[in-house]
Every structure is written in structure tokens, then in C-alpha cells.
Amino acid sequence: MQIIHDFITPNPFSRPQRPLENVRGVVMHWTEAPEQNEKQVRDFFNSRKDGYGSAHYVIGQNGICVACIPENEIAYHCGTDRKDPQSGKVYTDLARQYFGTYASEQNSPNNCTLSVELCPIDSTGRFSPATLATAAELVADICTRYRLSVTRILTHHDIVGWKDCPKYWTEHPLAFTRFLVEVIANMRK
């Protein structure tokens, strides 16, 4: 796996340099932009001047991974003030179960999760085999280092309930299950 460390310039909208309090999970995302590569997504995060958004890692269609934010800092990737349509609360029941007070109106799972953005190959949100292979290897490494179970690998949708992110996995949950199987296989290597 090739990881390029190209950290975002500190700024209030994408890299506030606040310490990550602990790591309780990994949140998977999609960039929604099949025309962009990993470097362009990283540069987009770096140029944010309004609205919050970033990720620790971005993986391109070619399988190249860019580290945008150090793992010991928070990224703005799954905070919300919108209510989950199912529970009627900010964040899903699952997020509150896994992250406790980090999933409340006063706090965010951003403070206890690492984030991985995947560049899709098309507008349906499908990912290339290279993207998935790198993601499985990266997430397996994160889970091993932080002693996380694969049950702690969640989608953005799992956290907030209202967002179809990553779109393909939200619409095709078995594809996400296949990804988790690949993560497990990588953890056993």
C-alpha cells in the first residue's frame, strides 16, 4: 500500500489541529466526485474557506492513498446537527451505542473516529478494485493498531442516518459486508 503524507495546511475549516481524544472507530465515506482523484480531493479540503469538511485519508481510483490529517488530530467528517430520521435524535442509536457522549448534541464522533474517503468510479458510487484493496489494507492496519473490532468500521450513514454515504454501500449493504470480509482477511496476514 502506498501512502503519500501530504497534510492539509492548518485552518479552521478542515484542519483545526485539535487532538483526537481516542480512536473508537473508522468511518468510511465516498467523495461523490468520480472525476476527482485523491490529490484533487486533498486539495479541495486544503482550500476550504467556508463550511467544514476533511478526512484523515483519501484513496483514489488507482489505489493511491493520501494522508491529509495526522491520526492524532480530528478531521471534520461526520459531525451533524441534523436528526437521524429513525431515532429522531442527533446521531443514530448505533453511533450513540458505540461512541457514547461523543455522539450527542454537545459532542461529535469526529473526536473519536478516523475517516477514510474513497474516490468512486461513477455516480452510482462503485469503487475500483484498486481502491477497495487499498482501503481494506489501510483499515485493517488501523483496526490492528487501535485494537478495534470490524464492528467498529462504520459508514457515514451508520453515524448520521440521513446521508447516503458511501452511496453504493448504503444502497448495497452486501457490498459493504464484502469489504469487511476483505478487512478481516488483511488483519489475518
Side-chain angles (χ1 to χ4, degrees):
M1 164 177 57
Q2 178 184 0
I3 298 179
I4 299 166
H5 290 85
D6 190 7
F7 296 137
I8 298 169
T9 305
N11 70 78
F13 297 104
S14 56
R15 186 180 174 200
Q17 291 188 293
R18 288 188 17 225
L20 190 68
E21 295 178 19
N22 60 51
V23 178
R24 294 189 180 184
V26 180
V27 182
M28 305 301 296
H29 302 267
W30 76 308
T31 65
E32 299 183 39
E35 67 284 353
Q36 289 185 333
N37 65 35
E38 67 285 350
K39 173 81 168 111
Q40 291 167 316
V41 174
R42 178 258 177 230
D43 291 348
F44 168 75
F45 289 148
N46 195 55
S47 69
R48 302 272 329 211
K49 302 292 184 238
D50 60 351
Y52 298 95
S54 56
H56 291 93
Y57 296 98
V58 179
I59 301 173
Q61 296 171 10
N62 54 10
I64 295 174
C65 179
V66 174
C68 300
I69 295 186
E71 287 184 3
N72 63 349
E73 295 178 20
I74 70 159
Y76 291 136
H77 63 97
C78 66
T80 189
D81 57 3
R82 285 179 58 181
K83 296 196 185 223
D84 164 41
Q86 201 164 25
S87 70
K89 298 178 182 177
V90 175
Y91 300 110
T92 63
D93 290 338
L94 181 66
R96 285 193 306 285
Q97 174 190 340
Y98 281 178
F99 307 130
T101 58
Y102 289 108
S104 68
E105 290 185 26
Q106 296 76 35
N107 208 341
S108 163
N110 288 334
N111 292 301
C112 69
T113 57
L114 295 176
S115 53
V116 181
E117 286 272 356
L118 306 177
C119 295
I121 59 174
D122 60 30
S123 63
T124 70
R126 289 180 307 127
F127 304 114
S128 74
T131 302
L132 291 171
T134 297
E137 188 176 351
L138 173 67
V139 173
D141 176 63
I142 291 169
C143 288
T144 300
R145 286 187 288 114
Y146 291 98
R147 295 187 172 107
L148 298 173
S149 160
V150 293
T151 61
R152 295 303 178 111
I153 304 166
L154 304 169
T155 65
H156 190 178
H157 176 79
D158 291 331
I159 305 292
V160 298
W162 54 265
K163 189 167 178 76
D164 66 343
C165 176
K167 180 182 172 84
Y168 192 79
W169 287 347
T170 301
E171 294 174 356
H172 303 89
L174 286 177
F176 183 59
T177 300
R178 285 192 295 274
F179 171 73
L180 296 178
V181 169
E182 288 304 311
V183 172
I184 293 167
N186 276 273
M187 289 172 73
R188 292 183 177 153
K189 289 182 180 177

